[in-house]
Amino acid sequence: MEKNAAGVRVRFAPSPTGDLHVGNIRTALFDWAYAKHTGGTFVFRIEDTDRERVTDHYIEAAGETLKWLGLDWDEGPGVGGPYGPYLQSQRLDIYQEWADRFLAQGDAYHCYCSNEELEARREKAKESNRPPGYDGACRNLTEDQIASFRAQHRTPVIRMRMPDGKTTFTDLIRGEVTFEHEFVPDFVLMRADGSPLYTLAVAVDDVLMRITHILRGEDLLSSTPRQIRVYQAMGVKESDYPVFAHLPFVMGSDNAKLSKRNGEVSIAWYRERGFLPEAICNYLALLGWSPGDDREDVSLQEIADLFDVSRVNSSPARFDMKKLEAINGEKIRRLALDDFLARSLPFVIEAGVITGSPSEVEVVRKALPLIQERIVTLGEVVAMVRFLFGEGIEVEADSLSKVSEPQAKEVLRSAMSALTPVVKWDEQSIEGALRESLIDGMGLKPRLAFTPVRIAVTGSHISPPLFESLALLGKERTLARISALL
RNA sequence: GGCCCCGUCGUCUAGCGGCCUAGGACUCUGGCUUCUCAAGCCAGCUACGAGGGUUCGAAUCCCUUCGGGGCUGCCA
């Protein structure tokens, strides 16, 4: 399988009709990992043959997403390479040439059927329980018929002729797969306006770009015979065909193919919420693949080192947000402080909690160790540090009752008088003063003693550790917030 | 409908004929710890879709069946 390892060339070729989603990225990750693992080349190509649906914005965004995840490509947009251009929209003349050649060879033919006619015939075929594919009406037109169509100003598409027989290929993940050609109708290579279809462009480019391994979604499995048909027409020897590996789907929790309807699919969504790229890659690597032992915590580099297509599962996987969160939280806990700070700051600034001044950054820096094991995404940093900035705070609704009842007031008064004389405002002194006054003095359980203080100062009954929080907040604001509730 | 792919705990998976009274992780439940929330630690629940074969022996091989999914486009 790893024949001519050094020559392995794998491509990731999305059609950017929207933001890259979880399924796309899992494919990209496997493509990348396979290339890296074999010491081969990772090619990034844009399949924008459908210009009505693809936009420049999404093309740009796709590249950015790959870079953010750390999936760098060796050839493709931005970096170039010997087989470019890597945008199919810039290779139109190439497809035209091949289509013309197929025409000349008799492998393809002009088809004058209109959409409406095709539609009608498809319906009829369905009704009479025949396969709905192209019926071959234009396969063998006479000169007279052609002249007649021309006279009607019909402009033909170019359609590939599927010969009788069958196509068999070996899929790295599924084994030998065979399609009888009676179920693979003649297919369109080029629209009347001269623009190519995926079926033509993908095959031509894979051959021209010397792609050796095609790892892609399972949905393309049944289009493989068409692709192989194009290789044949191009004169590629069977031994030179790329090797196929059709990856299992990543499905939504509702057991349907992952889509906008059943989940958060766009990678941009995860990025905005503060999921770490290495966590996303780690989680996605485990969807359809496993290293074989009980290892689940892998870095991008380790994925590349360990990845093996033969270990890819053939059955679909459901996306599990809970597990992604668990992995993300674990990675966050292991972040070094400087790294954690650098990654958190954009979220805190974006939320308007701080402007980013050095003194503010310093406070966040000191707060991060307190919250590191309490968050699952970077986005949660915002809510955790918010109380450290600004003067007053708003007590959240479901905590309000816990500071307004009589006993709570008493606790707050006691805390107030215990803290007021504290000179050395640090964690130890604060804890000492509060324990002495509330636990020893009032005889309260710690939980009952500290909760009102916590709420008064942070606004919530859930917060970072209390004494450290008060130390960070400063004496002045701590006392002010307590007294505001008296 | 036809063609193709797939089927181990709720989820992701290990397993590639005996090491499996099926292992790990996430989730969930209970407990410990504790200033809240987390984190951490301990314990527990739950799976080979079904039916036939093959074999001394099957989660592992074969067949059937049921279930799920994809494709069936001048989308990719």
Side-chain angles (χ1 to χ4, degrees):
Chain A
M1 173 198 320
E2 270 145 46
K3 56 169 190 189
N4 57 309
V8 165
R9 294 174 57 80
V10 193
R11 49 51 166 198
F12 172 59
S15 178
T17 54
D19 277 322
L20 251 33
H21 56 77
V22 168
N24 286 328
I25 291 304
R26 206 279 312 264
T27 300
L29 177 65
F30 284 17
D31 284 332
W32 176 90
Y34 188 68
K36 293 296 150 188
H37 180 75
T38 55
T41 305
F42 180 47
V43 180
F44 179 32
R45 182 176 74 215
I46 302 290
E47 310 229 320
D48 55 347
T49 51
D50 185 353
R51 289 305 302 191
E52 295 196 354
R53 295 171 62 218
V54 175
T55 71
D56 289 340
H57 166 75
Y58 287 132
I59 291 174
E60 188 74 19
E64 267 179 35
T65 297
L66 288 190
K67 279 187 206 157
W68 178 68
L69 290 164
L71 305 180
D72 294 318
W73 54 98
D74 304 303
E75 288 176 28
V79 306
Y83 303 102
Y86 294 88
L87 260 64
Q88 292 188 328
S89 58
Q90 294 171 9
R91 302 170 62 81
L92 268 20
D93 48 335
I94 297 172
Y95 309 128
Q96 182 65 250
E97 268 172 44
W98 282 101
D100 288 342
R101 185 163 148 190
F102 298 162
L103 239 24
Q105 291 170 173
D107 287 314
Y109 57 91
H110 285 300
C111 170
Y112 293 88
C113 299
S114 70
N115 264 321
E116 295 68 32
E117 289 165 344
L118 290 172
E119 189 65 34
R121 281 173 4 222
R122 240 194 308 270
E123 281 307 311
K124 250 176 100 180
K126 264 188 196 163
E127 279 167 26
S128 53
N129 246 326
R130 285 178 291 117
Y134 186 66
D135 55 9
C138 294
R139 263 193 153 192
N140 302 297
L141 294 177
T142 64
E143 290 301 324
D144 286 350
Q145 287 172 306
I146 293 173
S148 156
F149 281 133
R150 289 243 164 94
Q152 297 170 40
H153 302 290
R154 292 198 185 207
T155 48
V157 301
I158 298 175
R159 198 179 278 276
M160 184 63 101
R161 196 186 297 276
M162 263 331 261
D164 291 342
K166 62 184 179 183
T167 297
T168 296
F169 60 95
T170 302
D171 186 283
L172 251 26
I173 294 169
R174 285 148 218 287
E176 195 169 273
V177 183
T178 299
F179 289 87
E180 301 287 342
H181 289 186
E182 59 178 305
F183 306 115
V184 186
D186 293 355
F187 56 96
V188 175
L189 296 170
M190 205 163 247
R191 299 184 181 90
D193 66 2
S195 63
L197 273 99
Y198 163 81
T199 335
L200 173 64
V202 71
V204 166
D205 284 349
D206 285 337
V207 170
L208 263 30
M209 294 181 182
R210 306 274 188 270
I211 299 304
T212 61
H213 293 74
I214 298 177
L215 280 66
R216 51 157 31 160
E218 183 190 340
D219 49 336
L220 271 347
L221 185 61
S222 45
S223 87
T224 305
R226 298 202 293 264
Q227 205 164 326
I228 288 176
R229 173 68 183 116
V230 177
Y231 301 156
Q232 289 166 345
M234 288 176 80
V236 179
K237 285 193 312 231
E238 189 170 346
S239 56
D240 289 337
Y241 293 171
V243 175
F244 290 90
H246 287 91
L247 308 172
F249 280 124
V250 177
M251 299 188 303
S253 42
D254 62 351
N255 212 22
K257 193 176 162 187
L258 203 58
S259 75
K260 287 199 176 74
R261 266 140 292 164
N262 62 15
E264 271 49 89
V265 290
S266 143
I267 291 295
W269 186 90
Y270 294 91
R271 187 178 180 172
E272 285 160 15
R273 238 137 290 249
F275 283 90
L276 270 28
E278 60 267 41
I280 294 174
C281 288
N282 191 155
Y283 175 64
L284 257 24
L286 266 20
L287 244 38
W289 174 81
S290 82
D293 48 23
D294 288 336
R295 262 180 100 167
E296 294 213 324
D297 178 23
V298 284
S299 68
L300 202 50
Q301 182 59 51
E302 288 167 328
I303 293 169
D305 292 343
L306 299 166
F307 187 79
D308 182 352
V309 214
S310 68
R311 292 204 56 85
V312 174
N313 267 81
S314 48
S315 50
R318 259 144 299 258
F319 185 83
D320 181 9
M321 181 72 83
K322 281 278 198 298
K323 179 127 186 184
L324 204 213
E325 287 175 345
I327 290 175
N328 204 59
E330 198 179 317
K331 303 258 186 205
I332 283 181
R333 271 171 253 141
R334 286 209 303 259
L335 251 25
L337 180 56
D338 283 337
D339 192 13
F340 189 21
L341 179 66
R343 300 210 211 195
S344 302
L345 248 22
F347 289 89
V348 187
I349 294 171
E350 171 71 20
V353 171
I354 65 172
T355 60
S357 74
S359 61
E360 288 172 326
V361 171
E362 200 43 38
V363 172
V364 174
R365 182 193 193 81
K366 286 188 175 133
L368 287 182
L370 303 180
I371 67 174
Q372 192 158 16
E373 64 189 26
R374 282 161 228 277
I375 58 170
V376 157
T377 61
L378 293 175
E380 293 167 36
V381 169
V382 174
M384 289 289 213
V385 302
R386 176 168 264 131
F387 78 96
L388 291 167
F389 300 94
E391 292 308 317
I393 42 125
E394 199 172 318
V395 175
E396 65 183 29
D398 53 348
S399 297
L400 215 46
S401 66
K402 295 199 181 91
V403 281
S404 50
E405 56 193 26
Q407 197 198 31
K409 297 276 186 200
E410 208 177 307
V411 168
L412 291 179
R413 264 190 293 274
S414 177
M416 189 75 192
S417 46
L419 291 173
T420 304
V422 173
V423 177
K424 186 160 175 271
W425 192 257
D426 62 15
E427 185 197 333
Q428 288 75 25
S429 313
I430 295 167
E431 178 166 5
L434 287 179
R435 280 192 187 280
E436 192 187 329
S437 136
L438 306 179
I439 312 288
D440 304 337
M442 297 180 70
L444 291 171
K445 294 250 187 245
R447 183 191 197 91
L448 256 23
F450 299 133
T451 298
V453 182
R454 180 190 311 284
I455 294 171
V457 172
T458 68
S460 169
H461 65 278
I462 298 171
S463 84
L466 184 62
F467 315 122
E468 289 94 325
S469 296
L470 298 196
L472 261 181
L473 223 209
K475 184 174 178 179
E476 195 181 324
R477 279 187 297 173
T478 296
L479 296 181
R481 288 183 191 181
I482 294 175
S483 65
L485 289 178
L486 289 177

